[in-house]
Amino acid sequence: MPLQLHALIQRLSLIRHTLRWLLLSTLVGLLAGSASAILLLSLDWATDTREAHRWLIGLLPLAGLAVGLIYHYLGRSVEGGHNLILDEIHTDISTDPHVPRTTIPARMTPLILLGTTITHLFGGSAGREGTAIQTGAALADQITRLLRRLPFRFSEHDRRALLMAGISAGFGSVFDTPLAGAVFGLEVLTIGNVGYDAIFPCFIAAFVGDYTTAHLWHIHHTQYTVTQLSPLNPTTMLSAVAAGIAFGLTALLFARCTHAISHLFRRAIPYPPLRPFTGGILVALAVFAIGTTKYIGLGIPTIVAAFSQHLPRYDFAAKFAFTSLTLGAGFKGGEVTPLFFIGATLGNALSSILPLSASLLAAMGFAAVFSGAANTPIAASLMAIELFGPEAGAFAAIACVTSYLFSGHHGIYRSQRLSARKHPTSRSRDSKPQSPESPAPTPTH
């Protein structure tokens, strides 16, 4: 075959491949972006209703029991949540030929939307990224179910790319950060390794998902403004590193504390529905004891305030405690928005000892605590640039990378694989790298 003809065939094949994934990724983005819009509208309604009728918080134990019963009897197949999705992506069909290649049940989407809305309506402290990831990936996998019935080749590797695109679309659309969402879908799978095998689907799905949420559904995302910047010089760079260390250690403590509470509830309470019931009692009592709803729900007003005024230094610790207890007890929702709260308020508090403004440190903490807890420094840095601009983003990127180094090898996603140690001094058994064929940790809620 002449070289020119061979090259032409290759180009035509590439065009066909690109058009195919452009179509599939657009569909994933439309589905995930619509699910994120429904989620955001539901959470706005839940927050407004709870704040107007604070007596609803007293029903949090019953709400937890209801969510527990729903998942125990109807949602066991999707109880793993985002860890289930990561496990599905990690499964290697070449080494696991006997693993049944079933799709993620469609019920994951309505169950997690309902569970998250109930958590926020009755006063739990949780986020939204976990829900967006689950809805995006679960809806993407329904496309797999359809394509398998059509008379053309659709491989398990294609399914893996669809799931990653669903993660990217869900994350990018729920936070209005398509660049960060695209990279998050590639980076979150394995610590120390970013694969490019699904880079085109992830980017297209993330941007389409964000456009769907913001423009087709007309969802208005929260705007954060850094009011005072600092010049980038040796002193401020060292301050950013110091802040990053504090953010990383906080992320490490949050992940370990949340997992420890979850383990404690599983050991102490054998019947799963009673775990969020018990946790709901503790959270409701704490809210009524301190007399404020500042530390439940998403906490967006306090995050915004961290950029413009000095806040009590204990705000980050209070949100830390409420979120760890809520999620550890088995309520549904994500961790990332509470991590934004913890990071922004911790950065605000650090302004009293570091030569950086409270506003800039709030932006740095916003991104860096998330970076350390999720082990996604590149996605977190891109998020900071998208939300706060390149000048503040430069400081945030330094803090994100430093936080990533100091946050250990086990973050909020237990099914992440470890490809490479974060630094040469990590020699503990817990930080032993896993090959792609290594079994993933047991998924949690």
Side-chain angles (χ1 to χ4, degrees):
M1 181 182 294
L3 290 178
Q4 294 85 351
L5 180 59
H6 179 70
L8 177 61
I9 293 174
Q10 283 187 321
R11 294 294 182 272
L12 291 175
S13 177
L14 178 59
I15 291 173
R16 184 182 66 177
H17 172 83
T18 302
L19 291 175
R20 179 194 190 208
W21 279 106
L22 180 63
L23 176 62
L24 291 176
S25 303
T26 299
L27 182 56
V28 170
L30 288 169
L31 291 173
S34 296
S36 291
I38 294 171
L39 169 65
L40 293 173
L41 290 171
S42 299
L43 296 188
D44 284 344
W45 168 82
T47 300
D48 292 342
T49 302
R50 185 193 67 236
E51 290 303 301
H53 308 282
R54 294 193 177 185
W55 56 267
L56 288 171
I57 299 170
L59 301 179
L60 183 60
L62 295 179
L65 179 62
V67 171
L69 288 171
I70 290 171
Y71 268 84
H72 187 64
Y73 291 104
L74 299 176
R76 288 192 183 185
S77 60
V78 296
E79 181 68 25
H82 42 59
N83 287 304
L84 169 64
I85 294 166
L86 296 185
D87 285 336
E88 285 292 313
I89 295 173
H90 282 311
T91 301
D92 188 341
I93 59 172
S94 65
T95 56
D96 299 304
H98 302 297
V99 174
R101 309 307 299 155
T102 58
T103 53
I104 296 172
R107 70 183 65 184
M108 173 179 275
T109 295
L111 287 182
I112 191 59
L113 284 171
L114 177 62
T116 303
T117 302
I118 290 175
T119 297
H120 285 268
L121 176 61
F122 292 96
S125 176
R128 51 196 174 181
E129 123 287 339
T131 305
I133 289 174
Q134 292 179 54
T135 57
L139 290 171
D141 216 19
Q142 305 318 303
I143 301 175
T144 297
R145 188 189 302 273
L146 174 63
L147 292 177
R148 282 174 173 168
R149 298 174 180 175
L150 299 179
F152 60 82
R153 183 175 176 271
F154 186 82
S155 69
E156 293 300 334
H157 297 292
D158 293 333
R159 180 194 181 224
R160 182 177 185 271
L162 268 183
L163 288 173
M164 294 169 67
I167 291 175
S168 293
F171 190 96
S173 60
V174 82
F175 293 125
D176 192 25
T177 54
L179 274 177
V183 175
F184 181 83
L186 300 168
E187 189 179 20
V188 73
L189 305 177
T190 306
I191 300 173
N193 181 38
V194 180
Y196 285 178
D197 53 331
I199 189 170
F200 184 75
C202 285
F203 269 77
I204 296 299
F207 276 91
V208 171
D210 182 61
Y211 182 87
T212 299
T213 303
H215 297 280
L216 299 185
W217 284 81
H218 303 290
I219 300 297
H220 299 288
H221 294 273
T222 305
Q223 300 297 313
Y224 304 98
T225 303
V226 178
T227 57
Q228 184 178 350
L229 292 167
S230 300
L232 196 61
N233 57 46
T235 299
T236 55
M237 288 178 65
L238 287 175
S239 298
V241 171
I245 294 174
F247 297 142
L249 294 176
T250 301
L252 170 65
L253 186 60
F254 177 84
R256 291 191 174 181
C257 184
T258 304
H259 293 323
I261 292 174
S262 177
H263 180 69
L264 176 63
F265 270 79
R266 289 198 306 270
R267 288 191 60 183
I269 307 174
Y271 186 54
L274 289 180
R275 295 168 194 163
F277 174 79
T278 306
I281 293 174
L282 298 176
V283 171
L285 288 175
V287 171
F288 289 129
I290 63 177
T292 179
T293 58
K294 185 178 184 179
Y295 306 115
I296 59 175
L298 294 172
I300 297 296
T302 303
I303 298 175
V304 173
F307 287 81
S308 60
Q309 56 187 275
H310 288 284
L311 301 176
R313 296 180 182 179
Y314 54 80
D315 273 355
F316 78 94
K319 185 64 172 178
F320 183 119
F322 273 94
T323 306
S324 294
L325 179 56
T326 298
L327 297 178
F331 282 93
K332 301 302 173 182
E335 299 93 342
V336 171
T337 304
L339 288 172
F340 293 162
F341 185 118
I342 294 168
T345 52
L346 175 58
N348 187 283
L350 289 175
S351 65
S352 62
I353 58 176
L354 292 176
L356 297 171
S357 71
S359 182
L360 179 57
L361 279 164
M364 292 162 59
F366 182 107
V369 174
F370 157 58
S371 169
N375 290 305
T376 53
I378 301 175
S381 298
L382 288 173
M383 170 176 275
I385 294 171
E386 289 182 287
L387 292 178
F388 313 127
E391 293 84 1
F395 284 95
I398 295 172
C400 285
V401 173
T402 306
S403 174
Y404 166 77
L405 290 177
F406 278 83
S407 64
H409 293 87
H410 297 286
I412 54 177
Y413 305 123
R414 285 191 169 183
S415 289
Q416 276 182 323
R417 299 273 178 94
L418 178 62
S419 174
R421 296 183 179 94
K422 294 183 178 181
H423 41 84
T425 58
S426 301
R427 299 296 179 186
S428 67
R429 183 177 62 181
D430 290 342
S431 63
K432 181 180 179 181
Q434 292 179 319
S435 68
E437 293 80 17
S438 301
T442 302
T444 63
H445 72 86

